[in-house]
Amino acid sequence: ESTSGSTSASTNSRSYHGRVSLLSTGTLFPSTRGIVDTLPHPTKPCLLYADHDPLAAVSHICLLEKEVASSVELGCDGKLPQHPKHYLQFSVVHVCQPLANRGDAGVRLVKKLKKGAQLSLPVLLSGGEIFQDGIGSRSTGHSTNPSYWSSTLNCLLPEYIDEAIGEKNSLRPKDAVGYYNMKLFIQRHSELPSLFHQLLNHPSPNYRMQLSTRLLDLLKVINADLKTFEGGPYLCGAQFTLADIYIYPIVELIVVVLSTYRNFWIPPSLTSLVAWYDTASDRPSVRAATADR
């Protein structure tokens, strides 16, 4: 049993992960909405995620960019509603795995989405279909799972969001050359999550010194890439694209976490990277995505 949701793209295709159960949407027994665990909206796209997860942050920022764009279209100057329940493009459900044994509503809801399925966060529900980044379960153990960190810049949900929700393809350059450049930057920076994870968790001080050097070298590459096109301050120039969104949550972790636990700082000499981080951090979508942290 399933329901359909609203997206900007209609299709007869079906997601690999299947359909959303009517029980989770509250449409199977409408009289129980507000009494039992159901999605915030029966048809609106919904992101189920954990606050600490950088993979989820990428998708969340993408959705918030879509919300900002719709706000501009409505003449609201790109201002986001104060509460997510008033978003027009999507809804959210916070999932706290550490509280699974204490009755976390988000954990219970994930289990309701599809009977017998082992879904990994983040999960996006759109058009009545279930989408997630990958097949294996990654809903727990992020900090100790190297395969998770090596795949963070290969996530699937952001491009689906850009294609199917809100204004189509607004998070990528419109021309083929620009799109190629965006994908190239994503590939060039793909080692960033893994280096962060290893530097934070590796037990050997000597190896951490090597990792610090490698991470600094990659940050220098990003700094140089930010100078490639005039009219910045973003990687593809004036437009904030998936190339920026993919790396922002990891750079935030470097700034906040590595400076505290590994005495690693982004050097002020990387002026383009510092300016990029400050500018991206001030975007309404990013401010909203990081507000709970």
Side-chain angles (χ1 to χ4, degrees):
E1 292 173 317
S2 57
T3 187
S4 60
S6 59
T7 65
S8 61
S10 61
T11 176
N12 292 323
S13 300
R14 290 290 173 255
S15 168
Y16 174 93
H17 301 290
R19 303 278 290 172
V20 184
S21 72
L22 289 174
L23 183 63
S24 65
T25 65
T27 56
L28 184 59
F29 303 108
S31 62
T32 64
R33 283 193 64 84
I35 301 174
V36 299
D37 300 318
T38 56
L39 297 172
H41 193 278
T43 59
K44 194 182 297 182
C46 181
L47 181 70
L48 296 93
Y49 71 105
D51 282 338
H52 68 275
D53 183 358
L55 189 63
V58 172
S59 294
H60 194 194
I61 292 171
C62 289
L63 288 165
L64 287 163
E65 283 289 325
K66 297 290 185 170
E67 188 69 29
V68 169
S70 69
S71 173
V72 172
E73 290 179 1
L74 293 173
C76 299
D77 299 324
K79 294 181 179 179
L80 289 168
Q82 292 187 347
H83 197 282
K85 68 181 180 181
H86 299 303
Y87 290 166
L88 299 178
Q89 296 293 333
F90 71 105
S91 60
V92 294
V93 171
H94 295 265
V95 182
C96 186
Q97 285 288 343
L99 297 180
N101 295 329
R102 298 194 176 188
D104 179 73
V107 174
R108 293 198 303 265
L109 193 50
V110 170
K111 294 178 180 178
K112 279 186 179 182
L113 295 180
K114 185 180 179 183
K115 186 176 181 180
Q118 295 293 319
L119 299 175
S120 59
L121 299 177
V123 173
L124 177 69
L125 311 177
S126 176
E129 304 288 331
I130 300 172
F131 301 90
Q132 64 179 36
D133 276 310
I135 299 173
S137 177
R138 294 184 301 196
S139 59
T140 60
H142 287 165
S143 62
T144 57
N145 186 350
S147 65
Y148 165 82
W149 293 95
S150 65
S151 64
T152 300
L153 291 195
N154 295 317
C155 42
L156 305 173
L157 294 183
E159 291 212 41
Y160 172 82
I161 291 169
D162 197 28
E163 175 76 19
I165 297 176
E167 181 186 352
K168 186 174 181 178
N169 298 341
S170 62
L171 299 178
R172 66 187 79 179
K174 303 299 184 184
D175 62 296
V177 175
Y179 181 72
Y180 168 85
N181 291 332
M182 183 193 78
K183 297 292 283 187
L184 179 64
F185 286 137
I186 292 172
Q187 186 181 72
R188 281 169 61 82
H189 309 154
S190 62
E191 198 180 5
L192 190 66
S194 178
L195 287 174
F196 162 79
H197 171 261
Q198 291 181 74
L199 181 53
L200 180 63
N201 292 283
H202 203 281
S204 168
N206 290 334
Y207 189 59
R208 289 202 302 268
M209 287 294 293
Q210 298 177 38
L211 291 167
S212 294
T213 301
R214 290 171 57 192
L215 179 55
L216 179 58
D217 288 344
L218 182 51
L219 293 176
K220 290 178 179 178
V221 169
I222 297 174
N223 186 71
D225 285 345
L226 284 162
K227 301 176 183 179
T228 303
F229 300 108
E230 295 181 358
Y234 303 114
L235 284 163
C236 292
Q239 185 182 4
F240 187 62
T241 70
L242 293 175
D244 303 289
I245 298 173
Y246 275 38
I247 63 171
Y248 180 86
I250 304 299
V251 176
E252 181 195 24
L253 287 172
I254 292 171
V255 171
V256 176
V257 177
L258 291 188
S259 62
T260 302
Y261 295 101
R262 288 293 177 257
N263 200 29
F264 183 95
W265 305 80
I266 295 178
S269 58
L270 302 183
T271 54
S272 295
L273 179 57
V274 172
W276 169 88
Y277 180 74
D278 289 341
T279 303
S281 297
D282 199 42
R283 294 184 69 86
S285 62
V286 176
R287 289 203 306 268
T290 60
D292 291 339
R293 298 201 288 277

